Structures are given as structure tokens and as C-alpha cells.
Amino acid sequence: MSNRVLPLAVTSPACEVTPLIREPLTAQAATELAAVFKALSDPVRLRLLSVIASHTGQEACVCDISDGFDVSQPTISHHLRVLREAGLLSSERRGSWVYYRVEPAALHQLSALLDIALPEAAVR
């Protein structure tokens, strides 16, 4: 037998369990929201969402949103598809143009997640 002394677990009396003020994310919800945040992590996609959300009715024709980006039209289409697949946008073909619309439920879900009451000292 060894004469080694095993360290004892030390519990701090200052470590108190604080009550939950809301339900934390489930594993499934976290996975789904991570995909949304991943879609928003690209600056071009974030700007595209902002441009569409800035239009009347949070809807814009693809011809209206392509200007002002230093990427090709196929790249814009790729980014719009990623935003659609993440559930942030929906699209509708009208004649030869595609119109994109912000999905309010997705934005509401993100807003609810990010709306965390911070202590006054943390805001400073």
C-alpha cells in the first residue's frame, strides 16, 4: 500500500445555490439556436438580414438587396439560402424576381434568448 494522502474535496461555504429565474436552454434548443447564430456569424449574411429587415414590411426583392455588396450575385444567393435554411428568412417567387421576408418568429426567439436581465453593475 502506498502512503500517499489523497486530497479531500473542499466545499466553500460561500458557494450558494441560486434559484433559476427562467428555464435554461435544452440541448435540442441550443443545437437549433447554434445553427441560427452560425448563419448570422458571417458579416455579409448579417448585413443581408439587416437590409431586408430595414425595408417596408421587412420584405425586399433580391434586386433591391444586391447593391452595396462586394460579392457576386451567386454568392449573395448562397448567403440568402443559408439564412433561409436557418429559418431567418422566407422567400417567394413573383414573376422573375424572388422576394425575401424576415421571419418574425425566428427574430422573436433570438430576442427572447438575448433578453437577459443583467445586474446594474454588469452593465457598466
Side-chain angles (χ1 to χ4, degrees):
M1 276 202 160
S2 169
N3 289 338
R4 291 189 321 190
V5 177
L6 297 176
L8 297 175
V10 178
T11 58
S12 170
C15 181
E16 298 176 21
V17 176
T18 56
L20 293 175
I21 57 171
R22 69 181 199 180
E23 288 297 315
L25 289 174
T26 64
Q28 180 179 350
T31 299
E32 292 168 5
L33 281 169
V36 173
F37 280 113
K38 185 175 179 182
L40 290 173
S41 69
D42 184 279
V44 172
R45 289 194 286 264
L46 191 55
R47 282 187 59 215
L48 283 168
L49 182 68
S50 174
V51 167
I52 295 167
S54 298
H55 277 79
T56 302
Q58 296 186 326
E59 176 184 78
C61 174
V62 71
C63 62
D64 294 331
I65 57 179
S66 298
D67 293 337
F69 288 92
D70 289 334
V71 294
S72 67
Q73 179 57 47
T75 302
I76 294 286
S77 294
H78 163 76
H79 287 305
L80 289 168
R81 180 176 50 84
V82 171
L83 290 169
R84 235 181 32 249
E85 290 174 352
L88 293 163
L89 296 177
S90 59
S91 63
E92 177 184 348
R93 181 170 291 283
R94 297 181 197 158
S96 60
W97 294 107
V98 177
Y99 287 78
Y100 290 88
R101 176 183 296 272
V102 172
E103 283 297 319
L107 294 185
H108 179 71
Q109 185 180 23
L110 288 174
S111 176
L113 175 68
L114 297 174
D115 186 23
I116 299 171
L118 296 175
E120 182 86 14
V123 178
R124 293 182 196 148

